[in-house]
């Protein structure tokens, strides 16, 4: 009986050592990094963006990042005008699955990432719209203020490198630097929220333009474009 108690105690002791060792190993690994994306503030559709990167399950290579941002035309560094007016707002969301080159307990090193992207830009436009234009010159013109939105969805494949910054003693700190480049495709959908009569009776509403009117063009449209991305993020290892 005594031997059984000793055996049980010994097994329990080994179990405690194993759990303790696993817990210590878990504490030594990076699990959550909070980041900011400073270049987004200098985008033509400027946003102030936060991101969180964390492990994907128990994987030692895969992580998942969620990034959200908000911006306003009045804070655009390129100037405030009709294109970047007080009504203009920008929203951006990114979800990224990342696979590191090697088993990285601290989420550092080279990586390949797959990103899903969503952006929405809301604004108000002011235009002079002709009325009763059928069969000849317009009877009169009406000055309209109306809302307009641009929706962008897409996917990007990125390669990058993430590293822990070092202090003056060349020891790793909790501060993180993340750099990436990527290629993808975007689907852009523009919605001028104006009555149908205005678009039918004014031929210039049918003109195609990528850049006039703050990037909204002249008319509703949907199109695909290739997309290149380059960015940096600064982060802090929370635990």
């Amino acid at each position: 009986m005594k031997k059984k108690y000793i055996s049980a105690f010994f097994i329990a002791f080994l179990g405690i050592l194993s759990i303790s060792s696993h817990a210590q190993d878990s504490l030594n690994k990076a699990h959550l990094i909070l980041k900011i994306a400073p270049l987004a503030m200098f985008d033509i559709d400027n946003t102030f963006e936060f991101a969180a990167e964390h492990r994907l399950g128990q994987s030692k290579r895969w992580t998942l990042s969620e990034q959200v941002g908000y911006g306003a035309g009045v804070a655009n560094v390129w100037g405030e005008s009709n294109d970047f007016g007080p009504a203009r707002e920008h929203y951006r969301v990114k979800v990224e699955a990342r696979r590191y080159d090697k088993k990285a307990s601290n989420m550092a090193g080279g990586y390949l990432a797959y990103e899903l992207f969503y952006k929405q830009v809301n604004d108000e436009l002011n235009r002079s719209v002709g009325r009763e234009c059928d069969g000849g010159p317009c009877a009169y013109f009406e000055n309209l203020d109306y809302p307009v939105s641009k929706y962008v969805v897409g996917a990007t494949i990125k390669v990058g490198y993430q590293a822990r910054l070092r202090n003056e003693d060349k020891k790793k700190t909790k501060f993180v630097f993340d750099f990436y480049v990527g290629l993808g495709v975007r689907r852009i959908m523009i919605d001028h929220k104006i009555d149908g009569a205005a678009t039918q009776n004014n031929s210039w509403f049918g003109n195609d333009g990528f850049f006039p009117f703050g990037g909204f063009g002249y008319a509703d449209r949907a199109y695909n474009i290739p997309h290149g991305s380059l960015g940096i993020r600064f982060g802090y290892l929370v635990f």
Side-chain angles (χ1 to χ4, degrees):
M1 181 66 68
K2 185 176 181 180
K3 290 182 179 180
K4 289 183 179 180
Y5 281 120
I6 294 175
S7 297
F9 176 80
F10 183 70
I11 293 172
F13 179 72
L14 289 178
I16 292 171
L17 284 180
S18 176
I19 294 172
S20 176
S21 175
H22 177 76
Q24 185 65 33
D25 180 61
S26 179
L27 290 174
N28 289 332
K29 295 178 181 178
H31 290 274
L32 176 65
I33 301 176
L34 298 182
K35 305 177 186 180
I36 60 171
L39 293 184
M41 292 183 285
F42 301 94
D43 192 281
I44 197 71
D45 295 328
N46 57 299
T47 49
F48 189 71
E49 298 188 17
F50 290 96
E53 181 185 2
H54 53 88
R55 291 185 175 278
L56 190 57
Q58 299 298 318
S59 175
K60 294 183 179 180
R61 291 191 180 185
W62 285 94
T63 65
L64 192 67
S65 296
E66 299 88 14
Q67 184 168 317
V68 295
Y70 172 81
V74 292
N76 195 289
V77 298
W78 305 109
E80 182 180 345
S81 65
N82 183 58
D83 289 353
F84 309 104
R88 191 178 179 102
E89 293 183 310
H90 316 128
Y91 303 88
R92 188 181 279 118
V93 177
K94 298 178 180 180
V95 178
E96 175 192 285
R98 178 182 297 189
R99 186 182 189 275
Y100 286 92
D101 293 340
K102 57 183 180 179
K103 293 181 180 180
S105 61
N106 57 356
M107 292 194 286
Y111 62 83
L112 178 67
Y114 307 90
E115 177 188 276
L116 296 178
F117 175 90
Y118 174 79
K119 180 174 75 172
Q120 181 174 334
V121 182
N122 300 326
D123 204 348
E124 290 184 2
L125 298 184
N126 177 274
R127 295 186 186 181
S128 181
V129 177
R131 296 299 193 185
E132 300 179 9
C133 306
D134 295 336
C138 299
Y140 65 96
F141 287 86
E142 180 181 2
N143 196 40
L144 291 181
D145 290 306
Y146 69 90
V148 60
S149 295
K150 176 168 63 177
Y151 309 95
V152 185
V153 295
T156 308
I157 297 178
K158 304 188 295 186
V159 294
Y161 190 86
Q162 182 161 279
R164 297 267 294 275
L165 300 181
R166 297 177 182 270
N167 59 20
E168 62 275 8
D169 297 324
K170 296 185 178 180
K171 294 183 178 180
K172 290 182 179 180
T173 67
K174 290 191 173 184
F175 292 96
V176 172
F177 175 78
D178 184 11
F179 170 81
Y180 65 86
V181 295
L183 290 174
V185 63
R186 296 284 189 265
R187 176 71 173 174
I188 299 176
M189 296 157 285
I190 298 175
D191 181 17
H192 292 261
K193 300 176 175 64
I194 190 171
D195 62 276
T199 60
Q200 294 172 8
N201 296 334
N202 293 268
S203 60
W204 53 268
F205 258 101
N207 294 336
D208 284 337
F210 286 98
F211 303 110
F213 292 98
F216 295 107
Y218 292 97
D220 293 348
R221 54 188 314 223
Y223 54 94
N224 300 321
I225 59 170
H227 175 78
S229 64
L230 181 149
I232 60 173
R233 300 186 185 108
F234 295 101
Y236 185 80
L237 176 61
V238 179
F239 63 88

